[in-house]
Amino acid sequence: MRIGAPKEVFEGEARVAMTPDSATQLQKLGHQCFVETGAGQAAGFTDAAYQAAGVTVLPGAEALFSGVDVVVKVRPPVEAEIDRLSKGQTVISFFYPAQNAELLARAEATGATVIAMDMVPRISRAQKMDALSSMANIGGYRAVIEAANNFGRFFTGQVTAAGKVPPAKVLVIGAGVAGLAATGAAVSLGAITYAFDVRPEVAEQINSMGAEFVFLDFAGEAQDGAATGGYAAPSSPEFREAQLKKFREIAPDMDIVISTALIPGRPAPVLWTKDMVDSMKRGSVVIDLAAERGGNCEYTVPDQRVVTESGVIVIGYTDFPSRMAAQASQLYSTNIRHMIADLTPGKDGVIVQNMEDDVIRSATVAHDGAITFPPPPLKVKAIAAQKPREKAPEPTPEERKAAEAAAFRKATRTQVGLLALGTVLILAVGAVAPASFMSHFVVFMLACFVGFQVIWGVSHSLHTPLMAVTNAISGIVILGALAQIGSGSWLVTVLAALSVLVATINIAGGFLVTRRMLAMFQKS
């Protein structure tokens, strides 16, 4: 198949859906790759780089749309691009079908197949195609960089000759992919970082990253913030009030707020109200990653930087991934490549639209002249937050004592049983064996007991306990062999000498290996 990436027409969009690296991988699947001239220029990929990777550079969008079978894009196609499609063609891009019903109907009329990367289900097999997570990861990281650029102080605390600088306090609202990326970036910059999410089970993730999870004192019914598909669920009115109350308490102490709370297909919930912003210190920064869906902050204006009367900076940019176009293009093109790999099961350059496949079916929103959105329920369970296991109740002192007594009785019965069994076996052997055998057998048992005590009593002064024990065993072998060297039998003497030689080699080797291992940790 012929796969082509046009230049994005959305104003300010710098990403591209195909990079030279991804094109190389697509060609290994049997596809031919095309790109519109200048498509990757804003992301740092020149036409010459594409040509070096075996990609054909076409002069314009008209030539590309008419000359390829599959069109890969970043932003949803505009009406002019949809009208260029024809039956049998496929377009793969972000589409947001729930918000673009008119555009979806227009695509249906063309008979083309539309695969929406934002509809990829959150199941384990589809993680490699999860473009929403890829872009959210970049957005969360870039939000912290943008906050640092607008914040007038260090993130980390410093003690200098000119005075002491306290660390910045950062609050991340929402601990999804973007929130976790923002939390990690803020912690790495040295800020005192707090994070909140309606899903209490993410508290362990937040704490493991070096941040502090903000818990609510919510007396109502337990809030379960996890919904199907791995996203957060809408909160109850009572929980929302408790949430806003907590935010009002901590707002005056926060220097930077990064808000990422967004549920797909819904307007962004207002979580950082005007009075919270007004209570923040002058020079504080609010980064609203939900600005494209209305914003979590009441002061947010999409695609603008607003400075309130109280001196707080509110940023509502909607192009954070595009501000890191090279990295974002690499990740997004990799997601596209994995999607096309699933569409090419034979690796022969033939696209197979398998509507029985969970991932392909969920992502396909229009096919063969019909709208296929919304998709049916998944056959496999989506990735969701694991419910915290209920802790077993602590036993009472009486229960603990009873359990210890029962364990002691069980161990005692086992030991008595083994002793009785051994006694019976010895008596049975003694009833039929000659007296000379029994005398040697008693010596053998005592030797085993004494040898065991001697070997396991050796101090582990060598590199490992195992090496120490094996050297101790070799020492016992040498003692036994030396005792037999003076035997009158030449065969016993030869075997004893060989035993001394082999055991000596083992002991000397143990010490040599230990010396070399210790030398690795010594400074030269």
Side-chain angles (χ1 to χ4, degrees), residues 218-240:
F218 184 57
E221 186 177 348
Q223 171 72 15
D224 181 9
T228 58
Y231 296 97
S235 303
S236 64
E238 296 79 12
F239 186 86
R240 173 178 164 78

Side-chain angles (χ1 to χ4, degrees), residues 11 56 112 120 167 174 184 201 213 342 345 350 401 410 412 450 501 505 520:
E11 184 178 357
T56 302
V120 171
E201 59 270 12
F213 190 79
D342 270 26
V350 178
K401 289 181 180 179
K410 182 178 179 181
T412 302
V450 173
L501 175 63
I505 293 173
M520 295 174 61

Side-chain angles (χ1 to χ4, degrees), residues 174-254:
V177 176
L180 291 175
T183 300
V187 170
S188 66
L189 288 175
I192 299 175
T193 308
Y194 304 86
F196 172 83
D197 197 275
V198 297
R199 299 164 294 179
E201 59 270 12
V202 304
E204 292 183 2
Q205 300 179 46
I206 294 299
N207 294 335
S208 68
M209 298 177 73
E212 181 178 337
F213 190 79
V214 178
F215 288 96
L216 295 186
D217 184 14
F218 184 57
E221 186 177 348
Q223 171 72 15
D224 181 9
T228 58
Y231 296 97
S235 303
S236 64
E238 296 79 12
F239 186 86
R240 173 178 164 78
E241 288 303 317
Q243 184 179 7
L244 295 179
K245 180 181 177 182
K246 185 65 176 181
F247 288 166
R248 287 189 176 94
E249 291 177 2
I250 63 177
D253 293 331
M254 295 299 129

Side-chain angles (χ1 to χ4, degrees), residues 24 130 199 248 264-265 332 334 344 397 447 484 502:
T24 301
D130 191 354
R199 299 164 294 179
R248 287 189 176 94
Y332 181 71
T334 300
T344 317
Q484 296 297 323
V502 173

Side-chain angles (χ1 to χ4, degrees), residues 93 120-121 135 294 321 420 463 492:
S93 71
V120 171
M135 297 302 101
H463 182 63
V492 173

Side-chain angles (χ1 to χ4, degrees), residues 272-295:
W272 207 253
T273 57
K274 290 184 176 180
D275 62 295
M276 298 177 193
V277 176
D278 294 337
S279 67
M280 297 175 70
K281 296 183 287 289
R282 179 173 293 274
S284 299
V285 180
V286 177
I287 306 290
D288 195 342
L289 288 177
E292 196 167 9
R293 299 296 300 157

